[in-house]
Amino acid sequence: MPPSPPMTEAGALAALKGLVGWWSDSGIEVDIPPAPPPALRKAAPERRTAPAAARSAPAAPEVPAQDGRAMARSATSIVALKAAVESFDGCELKRTARNMVFARGNPDAPLMVIGEGPGQDEDREGLPFVGKAGQMLDRMLAAIGHGEDNTYITNVVFWRPPGNRKPSSDEIELCRPFVERHIALARPKLILLAGGVSTEALLGRNDGITAIRGQWSEVRVEGHSAPALPIFHPAFLLRRPQEKAKAWADLLMLAERLEELG
Ligand code: URA
């Protein structure tokens, strides 16, 4: 058999992606740690014996890194923003995810819910909060009269972190321009921050969701400002049902404020 050609980086990533998807379908969770940001990645070792033609050829022009902030800024509608996120290759999470997960619900809704990031079910369906935690979130919102027609749901990263780990701060920063533009374009009256990750990403507070839940803050992006309420993540409530009473109190506060805002 002739020796197989060496695998390229793209080929290796495609193979890894297929493998992770297959494992996940079999119920096996795979924990792949976050990749270092591009600037910290080791340069590929130099080839020592380049053919003469290659040695004298001019170096191939480097593909410029995409400017996520410029891409996000140039989107003037939510549809255009979704297309911009689809074409953004700067976040490593995209490489192992099956689908980009943008949003579900009504973009004109007064309430925007922002969670941590897609899980396995969301990755498969391309929609946020459709797994067990999502069903829990839907029940919580329904209890205060909110469904898909008057709620808009998204996350702080658009691709599933492998093995359902938390998104790294680099991954959150790479998605941030799109998340902020998303809020600026949707212009919600209120923002519900589901869990500590989106709370830290959007309020810059890392004192823990237990300390900060139920306290109103303000999210300000691109001239749009909206009151924001951090609550326990529905996945946490599934694990710790004894905390549901606190989440219920927070939801009642949210409903009251929404009513005041009309
Ligand atoms: N958890 C999240 O934070 N977001 C989802 O979309 C699903 C689960």
Side-chain angles (χ1 to χ4, degrees):
M1 229 214 281
S4 9
M7 201 181 250
T8 60
E9 189 192 2
L13 281 164
L16 177 64
K17 199 163 168 170
L19 201 57
V20 170
W22 181 84
W23 276 335
S24 299
D25 282 348
S26 321
I28 299 170
E29 284 304 330
V30 189
D31 197 7
I32 301 176
L40 300 183
R41 249 181 268 144
K42 258 197 189 160
E46 260 176 47
R47 285 180 59 160
R48 296 234 173 106
T49 52
R55 260 182 276 139
S56 54
E62 272 196 16
V63 181
Q66 287 176 310
D67 180 349
R69 194 149 290 278
M71 289 171 76
R73 211 181 305 120
S74 68
T76 53
S77 68
I78 288 191
V79 171
L81 184 69
K82 183 176 180 186
V85 177
E86 285 283 11
S87 64
F88 181 59
D89 294 324
C91 180
E92 294 280 334
L93 292 177
K94 185 175 183 177
R95 302 194 180 207
T96 46
R98 287 188 178 184
N99 285 300
M100 191 273 277
V101 176
F102 188 68
R104 74 175 168 96
N106 178 0
D108 297 322
L111 175 64
M112 188 169 193
V113 179
I114 308 182
E116 170 178 321
Q120 184 178 349
D121 296 307
E122 292 75 22
D123 182 46
R124 189 183 303 116
E125 293 193 31
L127 290 169
F129 280 105
V130 291
K132 286 207 175 82
Q135 288 157 21
M136 176 76 180
L137 176 68
D138 285 351
R139 287 199 296 276
M140 289 161 67
L141 294 171
I144 54 161
H146 275 256
E148 281 212 340
D149 54 335
N150 56 1
T151 314
Y152 190 50
I153 303 176
T154 186
N155 283 306
V156 289
V157 297
F158 300 99
W159 297 272
R160 179 194 184 202
N164 289 356
R165 63 165 168 75
K166 282 188 195 311
S168 71
S169 48
D170 288 323
E171 290 154 358
I172 291 172
E173 288 315 308
L174 286 161
C175 292
R176 177 183 296 283
F178 301 98
V179 173
E180 292 186 355
R181 189 74 178 147
H182 207 173
I183 298 168
L185 289 168
R187 303 185 69 78
K189 285 185 180 164
L190 284 186
I191 296 176
L192 189 62
L193 296 166
V197 171
S198 59
T199 297
E200 184 172 349
L202 288 163
L203 300 182
R205 296 207 28 194
N206 61 2
D207 36 355
I209 191 65
T210 304
I212 196 180
R213 58 143 274 278
Q215 292 175 30
W216 287 103
S217 283
E218 199 79 8
V219 167
R220 289 186 197 89
V221 286
E222 300 179 23
H224 179 71
S225 173
L229 186 67
I231 59 161
F232 283 136
H233 194 285
F236 171 77
L237 294 173
L238 286 171
R239 293 193 304 273
R240 300 274 298 272
Q242 64 273 28
E243 302 289 4
K244 279 185 187 171
K246 291 178 189 147
W248 179 236
D250 298 344
L251 286 173
L252 289 179
M253 246 185 354
L254 177 84
E256 203 178 316
R257 188 89 180 248
L258 272 168
E259 206 165 296
E260 279 165 20
L261 291 170

